[in-house]
Amino acid sequence: MPQHDSPAQSGHPTDAPETSSLESNTRLVWNPFLAEYTGQAPARMRRMELTDDCPFCADLTTGRVPPESQAWIRPNDFPALQPPNGECYLLIYSADHDRTFADLTVPEVVRIIGLWQRIYAELSPRYPCVMTWETSGEVIGQTQRHPHGQTYAVAIMPEMLGRELAAVERAESAGDLCPFCAEVRAESAGPRIVLEGAHWVGFIPAYARYPYQVRLTSRAHTSAITGIAEGEPMEELAAFLPRIIRAYNRAFQAPMPYMLALHQLADERFHLHVELLPVGRAPGKLKLAASCEMAWGFWMNDSFPEVKAAELRDYVRREEEERVVMEQLPAPAQRAIAAYREQFAPLTESEPLTVAWAPGRVNLIGEHTDYNDGFVLPVAVDRVIALAGQPHAGTTSRCYSVHHRQRHFFRSNRAALLAPDRRRRTPLWVRYIRGVLRELVARAATPQTPAFNAAIVGDVPVGGGMSSSAALDVAVATFAAALGGPRLSPLETALLCQRAEAASAGVHTGIMDQAIACLARADRALLLDCRSLRYEYIPVRLPGVVVAVFDTQVSRALASSGYNARRQQCEAATALLGRLVRADDASREIRALRDVTTDDLARYGARLPDPLLPRARHVVTENARVLAAAEALRAGDADRLGALLYASHASLRDDYEVSCLELDVVVEIAATVPGVLGARMMGGGFGGSALILVHQDTFEGLRDVLAAAYPARTGKRGELHRCQVSGGPESRVIALDKR
Ligand code: GLA
C-alpha cells in the first residue's frame, strides 16, 4: 500500500482555505489511522441531477461522437480525480436514452464489455488500478438516467483490491493455488451458486456482507477484463450480468439499485471477478448500512448465503423462463405487459396474466366493395393492438391506453353493459372496448367475461387507414375469450365486432376489417366474398416484392368522413337500378351493387341522378378488379397486380371521390419511381395510408424520393413502412411473478 509519499496531495481538509477557486480541485487525503485514502471533489456537487436535458444524448448531436455510435467513452465533466491522482471517464452504453443495462441484449452487452476492455487497455499502463463499474439508482449516486457506467483510473490501490491482492500473495508464498481459482472450484455446483456456465461462476460468497451480493468469477485465470476472449466467454458474461440484475429486480419487485464492479489488476497473479452489490437487504426494508458496519467496519448479514442463493437461483430461472415467453410475443404485447405492471401493480399472484392481440390490415384491393356484398382481398400485417391484464372479482373494469395516456373505468357486469352508456365524455377507444363486451353479453348470458384490469398498446397507426379500430375490437374479443368469456368462431367474432363498431362509433362499416383481423394467416391474402362470407386463402408469393404502406399523416376519422354518405349513395343506386333492371327482366334480383353488371350501367346509368352512376361504376369495376387481382396473385404476376392497383386508385379518386390531395400525390410520386409496381389509396379514404407494391431493391430509393417530394408538395412529412403479411389474433396466459 502506498503511504504518505503517494502522488496524492495529502493533508487535512481544514488546512485548505474554503474558497471557490479550490472547487475545481480534487485531492486524495490519507487516513493515518485506517491506512487508506479518501477522495475529495467538491465540484461534483454542481452536477446536474437527473435533468431532462441529457448530456449523453447531446453527445450525439454535438459531434462529440460519430452519429452512428451506439456506445462510446467520454471524459467525466465532473471528475472525482484529476491527474496525477487519477482520471475519470464515462462509458455510454446506448444511443437510446430509455434503456437500462438490464434491458440490453447480449450483443449490446458484448459491445459494452468491449468498452471496458478498451478503457482498461488505455489506462492500466499509467495507473495501478482501473476501477470500472456500472450502477443503477439515485440512492447510490446515479445522476443521469441514460444508460452508462464509469471508470476511474486511480494512482493509489483501493483498500479492498489491496486486501484481495494480499490474499493472492499469501497463497502464493504458501505454495497454494490462486485463492480465486480455489474458490471457483469449491463453489461450483454447490449450495451458494446463483448461476454458472462453462466460463463463469456466479455465487454468493460464504462470507458475504450483504444478503444478495454475488461474485461472478471467470473459470479461467486472467487478471483483467482484457483477458476475456471474444466469443463464448464474453457472450456468457454478457448474458449473465443482466440476468443477475433482472433477478434482483424480481426479488425486490422494483428496480433495485446496485453496483456492478470489475475487480481487476495488471498483476498477473490477480484473478478478475465481478462484484454485484444490490443495496437492498430485504424487500420493503431500507437499511443501507448499520451502525456496526459504518462505525466499526463490522458487517452483519441477516441471512445465510445458502438460503439467499437458492432464492436468487429461483428468480434467475423464473425470469429466464418468462423472458423466453416474452420474446416470442409481438412487441406491443410485451409493452402492454410492462405498462400493465406499471399501471396496475401490485399484480395479484393468484391470477395469471393474459395477453391478447389482433393485427391491423392492408387491403390489397377491393375498396368500398364490402358493404356492397362484393369481394375484398386484404392481408393482415405485422402490426397489432395488444391488451395485457388480469381478471378480478369486482364489477368495474379498468383500462389504460398507452397511446392516449388515459386510464378509464366502466362497470362491466351484464346489466351495466346492456344499459346505455350515459357518460357523454367516454373516449372513443373506451367505447370500442365497452362495445365489444356489450355485444358479447348481449348474445349469450353465459359464459360471462369477468371484470378486468388491462393495459393497451398498439403499433397499428391510429387513424392511419390500417384499421386500428378493428384490430382493437378483435383484440378485446380475443382477450375476453381468454379470460373465460364466450369463445366464438373467427367469423362470428368478426360479425360481432362489426356490430360493436357500428354501435360504439356510429360507423356502419363493411365486414372486411374485422374479417381479416379474425381470419388472417401468415403469408396469405384473404379472398372474401362479403355476401356469402365464403373465403379462400391465396398465398402471397411475390418474390422480391415488398408490401409498403405510406402514412400520409392526414388522419381519417371514419365517423366524420363521408363513409356513411357513400354507403347511402350505394343503397340509393341499388334501389334505382333494381327497379330499372326488373322492369326489363323480372327474373333478375338486384340486392346490392354486387348484382349489377357493366352492361346494366351502360344501359341504365344515364337515368341515375348524380353522383350515383360514378359511385356504382366504381363498385362494379372494383369487384372485377378484385377477382382479376386474385388471379394475378395466384399466378405470382406482380406486374398485373400493380396495374390493377393503379386502376383501383383512379376509380376511387374519380368515381368514388374518396381520395384526397395527399393520397393522390403519394400515388403520383410512387408511379415515377422505377421498381414501383403499383400504388393506390387504401381503406375508407379521405386520408390515412396508401399501399405501394415495390421491388425490394427499390424500397430505400422510394423512401428517399418520397421523403423529398411528398413534403415539398403537401407540407406534410409522411412515413413509409415495410409490412410483413402476418397471422391473425392470438392470446397467451402467462404465469408471471409478482414484481
Ligand atoms: C373501412 C371500412 C371497411 C371498408 C373500407 C373501404 O376500412 O371499415 O369495412 O368498407 O373502409 O373499403
Side-chain angles (χ1 to χ4, degrees):
M1 277 295 297
Q3 298 292 315
H4 295 270
D5 55 348
S6 76
Q9 291 169 258
S10 58
H12 191 269
T14 49
D15 294 349
E18 292 280 329
T19 65
S20 59
S21 65
L22 266 181
E23 288 237 320
S24 62
N25 294 329
T26 65
R27 59 192 181 190
L28 291 172
V29 182
W30 178 247
N31 178 336
F33 299 99
L34 296 185
E36 65 183 19
Y37 281 99
T38 305
Q40 295 174 350
R44 289 173 62 73
M45 291 309 284
R46 292 205 309 268
R47 283 178 304 176
M48 293 169 295
E49 308 272 321
L50 297 168
T51 55
D52 286 339
D53 294 335
C54 172
F56 308 149
C57 285
D59 280 1
L60 291 164
T61 46
T62 54
R64 198 165 189 167
V65 293
E68 286 84 37
S69 287
Q70 292 299 315
W72 62 95
I73 299 173
R74 49 118 81 201
N76 191 322
D77 294 337
F78 297 90
L81 297 159
Q82 287 162 316
N85 292 339
E87 291 174 36
C88 300
Y89 295 89
L90 287 156
L91 281 52
I92 315 301
Y93 293 165
S94 155
D96 180 353
H97 180 89
D98 294 315
R99 315 276 302 273
T100 67
F101 182 76
D103 295 331
L104 301 179
T105 61
V106 170
E108 286 170 322
V109 181
V110 164
R111 198 170 61 200
I112 290 159
I113 297 171
L115 291 187
W116 294 347
Q117 292 186 324
R118 231 175 79 202
I119 195 104
Y120 181 82
E122 266 170 45
L123 296 170
S124 61
R126 291 190 277 126
Y127 291 94
C129 178
V130 176
M131 306 192 292
T132 286
W133 75 93
E134 140 70 18
T135 53
S136 170
E138 283 163 69
V139 289
I140 47 174
Q142 189 193 5
T143 54
Q144 298 298 335
R145 296 216 193 279
H146 197 114
H148 70 283
Q150 300 203 41
T151 293
Y152 285 7
V154 57
I156 51 99
M157 183 68 76
E159 173 61 13
M160 256 190 217
L161 273 190
R163 283 161 74 177
E164 285 180 349
L165 182 60
V168 170
E169 283 165 349
R170 275 198 305 276
E172 190 192 35
S173 49
D176 291 341
L177 200 62
C178 153
F180 290 99
C181 288
E183 186 177 49
V184 162
R185 282 192 201 170
E187 293 292 347
S188 238
R192 287 181 293 270
I193 284 291
V194 174
L195 83 179
E196 65 179 316
H199 305 277
W200 295 88
V201 181
F203 56 96
I204 302 188
Y207 40 82
R209 291 168 162 181
Y210 253 58
Y212 295 100
Q213 103 184 43
V214 171
R215 171 173 290 176
L216 192 59
T217 308
S218 71
R219 285 192 196 271
H221 183 94
T222 180
S223 74
I225 193 71
T226 38
I228 300 305
E230 275 181 30
E232 260 186 44
M234 200 180 284
E235 278 159 23
E236 193 173 287
L237 176 63
F240 279 11
L241 291 173
R243 277 178 76 181
I244 299 171
I245 296 162
R246 292 196 299 264
Y248 289 156
N249 294 344
R250 180 166 291 253
F252 287 88
Q253 300 171 34
M256 171 41 46
Y258 64 83
M259 290 148 262
L260 179 166
L262 265 58
H263 281 207
Q264 54 185 345
L265 286 175
D267 188 325
E268 287 189 352
R269 294 168 305 173
F270 194 72
H271 193 125
L272 166 75
H273 53 284
V274 185
E275 298 283 359
L276 288 124
L277 306 161
V279 299
R281 302 193 200 214
K285 280 196 188 152
L286 184 68
K287 180 185 172 193
L288 297 184
S291 306
C292 58
E293 293 155 3
M294 280 291 265
W296 280 272
F298 172 56
W299 290 80
M300 186 55 68
N301 186 344
D302 299 345
S303 65
F304 285 135
E306 295 74 16
V307 175
K308 292 289 136 179
E311 209 183 289
L312 272 186
R313 259 197 318 270
D314 197 41
Y315 284 128
V316 167
R317 180 186 54 76
R318 293 199 332 219
E319 209 281 332
E320 200 52 23
E321 281 169 7
E322 183 185 315
R323 204 171 167 76
V324 169
V325 174
M326 291 280 279
E327 274 170 6
Q328 287 160 1
L329 303 179
Q334 296 183 27
R335 280 171 33 222
I337 291 173
Y340 177 73
R341 283 184 151 141
E342 230 174 82
Q343 292 292 324
F344 296 101
L347 296 181
T348 47
E349 236 184 359
S350 54
E351 288 293 350
L353 194 95
T354 296
V355 57
W357 63 92
R361 62 101 183 95
V362 157
N363 185 18
L364 292 180
I365 198 160
E367 227 59 272
H368 291 276
T369 46
D370 58 355
Y371 53 82
N372 287 301
D373 279 4
F375 300 98
V376 290
L377 189 62
V379 298
V381 293
D382 51 342
R383 288 171 171 259
V384 301
I385 307 265
L387 274 86
Q390 288 177 303
H392 61 76
T395 54
T396 300
S397 289
R398 298 173 196 86
C399 295
Y400 177 76
S401 157
V402 170
H403 176 79
H404 298 280
R405 294 187 192 186
Q406 283 173 352
R407 193 179 171 125
H408 215 87
F409 63 89
F410 53 90
R411 306 244 300 141
S412 63
N413 53 322
R414 188 162 198 270
L417 285 172
L418 290 176
D421 179 11
R422 294 198 197 288
R423 289 190 292 186
R424 268 184 290 132
R425 301 246 299 274
T426 305
L428 189 59
W429 66 271
V430 181
R431 295 214 300 270
Y432 282 126
I433 297 172
R434 201 180 168 279
V436 171
L437 297 173
R438 183 184 190 284
E439 291 299 324
L440 282 170
V441 298
R443 68 175 288 287
T446 52
Q448 284 205 15
T449 309
F452 57 83
N453 296 338
I456 301 148
V457 176
D459 58 2
V460 187
V462 175
M466 290 168 85
S467 200
S468 57
S469 56
L472 174 59
D473 292 336
V474 175
V476 172
T478 310
F479 184 71
L483 291 189
R487 285 184 177 273
L488 312 178
S489 74
L491 263 182
E492 281 173 317
T493 307
L495 289 164
L496 181 137
C497 290
Q498 185 193 20
R499 285 199 300 278
E501 184 139 353
S504 46
V507 190
H508 298 277
T509 70
I511 190 66
M512 169 171 71
D513 302 342
Q514 295 81 5
I516 185 66
C518 290
L519 287 160
R521 289 204 184 151
D523 303 319
R524 300 276 186 282
L526 181 80
L527 174 61
L528 176 68
D529 177 339
C530 300
R531 169 169 282 169
S532 66
L533 294 184
R534 274 203 282 270
Y535 53 87
E536 178 194 338
Y537 292 105
I538 304 183
V540 181
R541 259 188 240 114
L542 302 170
V545 175
V546 170
V547 174
V549 166
F550 187 82
D551 184 350
T552 58
Q553 271 157 28
V554 179
S555 176
R556 57 185 283 278
L558 270 183
S560 61
S561 72
Y563 188 90
N564 287 343
R566 292 297 180 285
R567 197 172 174 147
Q568 279 156 13
Q569 289 164 355
C570 289
E571 281 158 16
T574 305
L576 277 174
L577 284 166
R579 252 177 270 141
L580 294 168
V581 168
R582 281 173 67 86
D584 288 347
D585 179 354
S587 71
R588 283 189 59 197
E589 199 192 349
I590 306 288
R591 278 159 50 204
L593 288 180
R594 151 81 172 269
D595 304 310
V596 174
T597 64
T598 38
D599 282 354
D600 295 335
L601 291 180
R603 190 173 309 172
Y604 307 109
R607 288 151 72 185
L608 295 180
D610 225 25
L612 299 194
L613 173 62
R615 301 294 188 259
R617 188 165 55 219
H618 164 72
V619 176
V620 173
T621 57
E622 183 80 348
N623 272 331
R625 281 188 290 270
V626 175
L627 299 178
E631 265 319 304
L633 201 56
R634 279 190 203 100
D637 186 344
D639 291 326
R640 172 95 186 104
L641 187 60
L644 289 163
L645 258 53
Y646 283 132
S648 169
H649 182 78
S651 175
L652 286 158
R653 180 190 60 207
D654 303 335
D655 278 349
Y656 217 63
E657 294 182 279
V658 286
S659 188
C660 62
L661 169 87
E662 290 82 355
L663 286 166
D664 293 343
V665 165
V666 178
V667 173
E668 268 172 54
I669 297 171
T672 65
V673 178
V676 168
L677 300 159
R680 65 176 199 83
M681 60 145 278
M682 187 178 75
F686 309 103
S689 297
L691 159 67
I692 306 174
L693 280 191
V694 54
H695 276 298
Q696 201 172 301
D697 326 333
T698 325
F699 180 80
E700 290 305 327
L702 170 69
R703 189 197 291 274
D704 293 345
V705 173
L706 281 167
Y710 179 74
R713 288 185 57 188
T714 63
K716 302 201 168 63
R717 244 168 36 91
E719 212 181 333
L720 187 69
H721 305 287
R722 178 196 280 255
C723 298
Q724 287 293 335
V725 177
S726 303
E730 286 184 52
S731 64
R732 302 267 188 287
V733 175
I734 305 170
L736 292 179
D737 280 343
K738 281 189 0 178
R739 186 149 85 176

